[in-house]
Amino acid sequence: MSTPQINQPGEMEVSPSKSARVVLPGVEILQPVDPESDEEPVEEGVTDEPEEGDFLEDFPDETEDLELVHARIGSLTNLRLPRFAKYLKRLCLRQNFVSFLDPEVFNVLTNLEELDLYDNKLRTVGDAFLKLSKLETLDLSFNMLKSIPEGLGSLNFLHTIYFVQNRISKINGLESCINLRSLELGGNRIRRIENLESLVNLEELWLGKNKITKLENLASLKKLKILSLQSNRITKLENLEELNNLEQIYLSHNGVKKLEGLENNTKLTTLDLGNNFLSAIENISHLTCLEELWINGNKIPDLLALEPQLGAIQCLETLYLEANPCQSKDMTGYRRKIMLALPQLKQIDATYVRQV
C-alpha cells in the first residue's frame, strides 16, 4: 500500500514503501550549552510552544516506519500511535519537545525494533520501555537524563544504545543487557569505567568527552573491537591486556605520557593518541595489522624511531605526526624523511603521498 510522504511543509509525495516522514524547517542552535549546566539550548526562530495535532492522520495503520523530525511535537497523545502497533517497527521522533513518554502508548508498540528520541526534553522515561521486547536500537542522545533508565535489562534483543550528551554521571543499570554490542555514552559526566563486567558481547564502547581518569574494569569485554575515550583525563595506557580483539583505540586529547601496554592488542588497525604528552615512538613494532597511527600534537623530538618501530608494518598507510617538535625543528625535511623511512605510507598528516 502506498503512503504519503511529506518532505517539505505543505508538500506531500507518494512513497511505495510503508513509511511516513514529516519534517518541518530546520533551525540553528545559537550557542551550545555547557554540559555542566542544566540550562537548555536556545534555538533561533523557534518558540518553546510545541505543535499539537495528529500529523499522521493521513497515514495507514500498516505503516512500518514513522519519522517525525523537527515537527515541534510536545505530546504523543494526538498522534494516536497505538493504531500503528501491529506493524510499526521504527519510530523516529528526533528534535522535538517530547518530555513525557506515556507507558500506555508504548506498552502496545510491542513490535518496535528501533526507537529514536534524539534531541528532546526527556528527564526520565519511567516504565515506557518495559514491554518493548523486540527493541534492538535505542537512541536517547541529547536529552536531559541524569541516569541510565532502569528496566533496559528486560529488552533481550537490545544491541545498540546511544546516550550521547546527557547528564549521566555513573555507568549502571546495564548489567542485564548481555546482548549489547554497542554502547555510546559520550558527552556526559562519567568519572569511572564500571559495572560493565556482564556485557560480554560488547563490541563498541564510546566514552569520549567525559571525566574518566583511568582505563579499568574492561577485562571481561573480550569481544571489544572499538574503544573510544577521547577528551578525558587518562594519563596511562593500561589494563588492556585481555582485550586481544581490539581493532581501534581512540584516546586523543588525554594526558597519556608513554606508548605502552599494547603487547596483546595485535589486531589493532587504528591507534589514535593525538594531542597527548608522548615523548617517544616505542613499543608498537609488534602491531603488524596497524593501518592508521595518529600521534600528532605530542612531544616527539625526532624521527629516529620511525623505521625500527614502523618500518616492518607493511599495511600502515596513514601517519599523523604533525605538531610535534620533530616537525617544528625540521619543517623542510620533515615530510621527506618520513617518506624515506616509511615508503609504504599513502598519507602523511592531511596530505596524500605522491606515488612515483
Side-chain angles (χ1 to χ4, degrees):
M1 178 181 295
S2 297
T3 59
Q5 181 173 351
I6 302 176
N7 288 322
Q8 297 178 1
E11 180 179 343
M12 298 181 66
E13 296 183 359
V14 175
S15 170
S17 62
K18 294 182 178 180
S19 63
R21 188 166 188 260
V22 179
V23 184
L24 293 191
V27 296
E28 179 182 355
I29 297 178
L30 290 180
Q31 51 186 337
V33 172
D34 186 335
E36 294 298 319
S37 170
D38 286 335
E39 295 179 8
E40 297 180 18
V42 178
E43 297 180 350
E44 182 181 10
V46 175
T47 67
D48 283 334
E49 294 298 323
E51 297 282 345
E52 303 298 343
D54 187 356
F55 292 93
L56 305 174
E57 59 183 343
D58 295 326
F59 299 115
D61 295 355
E62 296 85 359
T63 303
E64 296 180 356
D65 187 333
L66 289 175
E67 185 173 347
L68 298 101
V69 180
H70 257 311
R72 301 175 191 169
I73 296 168
S75 171
L76 303 183
T77 303
N78 293 331
L79 299 179
R80 298 187 295 126
L81 291 173
R83 73 183 178 92
F84 302 103
K86 186 176 180 180
Y87 297 93
L88 190 61
K89 294 181 179 179
R90 179 178 180 268
L91 176 59
C92 176
L93 292 162
R94 284 191 161 218
Q95 297 170 307
N96 285 290
F97 295 100
V98 178
S99 60
F100 172 67
L101 302 179
D102 188 347
E104 292 188 7
V105 173
F106 283 90
N107 282 349
V108 299
L109 302 180
T110 55
N111 289 308
L112 266 188
E113 297 175 1
E114 182 176 340
L115 178 58
D116 188 342
L117 289 157
Y118 176 104
D119 195 6
N120 276 279
K121 308 290 184 182
L122 293 168
R123 296 180 185 271
T124 180
V125 302
D127 297 329
F129 300 157
L130 294 182
K131 299 293 182 64
L132 304 184
S133 58
K134 295 183 181 180
L135 198 66
E136 298 177 357
T137 302
L138 174 63
D139 193 343
L140 287 166
S141 300
F142 288 85
N143 278 279
M144 294 177 279
L145 302 174
K146 292 187 177 181
S147 61
I148 295 173
E150 297 179 1
L152 297 182
S154 64
L155 309 181
N156 295 328
F157 290 95
L158 192 62
H159 59 68
T160 302
I161 294 177
Y162 303 96
F163 290 142
V164 183
Q165 206 70 33
N166 277 276
R167 296 158 188 179
I168 297 168
S169 59
K170 187 179 179 66
I171 303 175
N172 58 12
L174 299 171
E175 291 82 2
S176 299
C177 298
I178 58 174
N179 292 314
L180 206 59
R181 296 203 300 267
S182 181
L183 176 60
E184 167 66 278
L185 280 162
N188 280 282
R189 303 174 181 180
I190 297 166
R191 295 181 180 273
R192 190 178 183 211
I193 303 173
E194 59 186 336
N195 300 319
L196 298 175
E197 291 81 5
S198 63
L199 305 186
V200 295
N201 291 303
L202 201 66
E203 297 179 2
E204 302 179 8
L205 179 59
W206 305 86
L207 293 168
K209 201 178 177 184
N210 278 284
K211 300 179 178 182
I212 297 167
T213 59
K214 185 176 183 179
L215 292 171
E216 60 183 336
N217 300 319
L218 295 167
S220 65
L221 308 182
K222 299 185 186 301
K223 293 186 178 181
L224 201 66
K225 295 180 179 180
I226 300 176
L227 177 62
S228 177
L229 287 112
Q230 297 168 317
S231 300
N232 276 279
R233 302 173 181 179
I234 295 164
T235 58
K236 186 176 182 179
L237 274 172
E238 60 183 337
N239 299 320
L240 300 176
E241 56 272 7
E242 299 294 328
L243 307 183
N244 53 24
N245 283 306
L246 267 183
E247 296 176 3
Q248 301 173 38
I249 295 178
Y250 300 97
L251 281 166
S252 65
H253 296 91
N254 277 279
V256 179
K257 298 178 181 179
K258 185 176 182 179
L259 260 173
E260 61 183 338
L262 301 174
E263 290 79 13
N264 294 345
N265 309 118
T266 55
K267 294 183 181 180
L268 279 177
T269 61
T270 301
L271 178 59
D272 182 0
L273 282 159
N275 295 286
N276 278 274
F277 296 94
L278 302 177
S279 58
I281 303 173
E282 57 187 337
N283 303 318
I284 55 173
S285 60
H286 64 289
L287 302 179
T288 56
C289 296
L290 201 61
E291 298 173 4
E292 296 189 19
L293 176 61
W294 297 61
I295 46 176
N296 52 293
N298 279 278
K299 298 181 178 297
I300 298 168
D302 55 56
L303 304 174
L304 297 177
L306 284 183
E307 196 282 328
Q309 284 293 315
L310 303 173
I313 307 177
Q314 290 303 307
C315 56
L316 184 66
E317 295 185 353
T318 301
L319 174 65
Y320 273 78
L321 195 57
E322 62 189 353
N324 275 285
C326 62
Q327 182 195 37
S328 58
K329 290 178 182 178
D330 187 10
M331 295 295 290
T332 56
Y334 160 79
R335 186 175 176 86
R336 179 179 58 84
K337 289 178 180 178
I338 294 176
M339 292 171 62
L340 289 172
L342 304 173
Q344 72 271 38
L345 289 179
K346 295 182 179 179
Q347 181 178 338
I348 300 172
D349 300 324
T351 306
Y352 287 105
V353 174
R354 181 180 299 175
Q355 301 298 321
V356 179

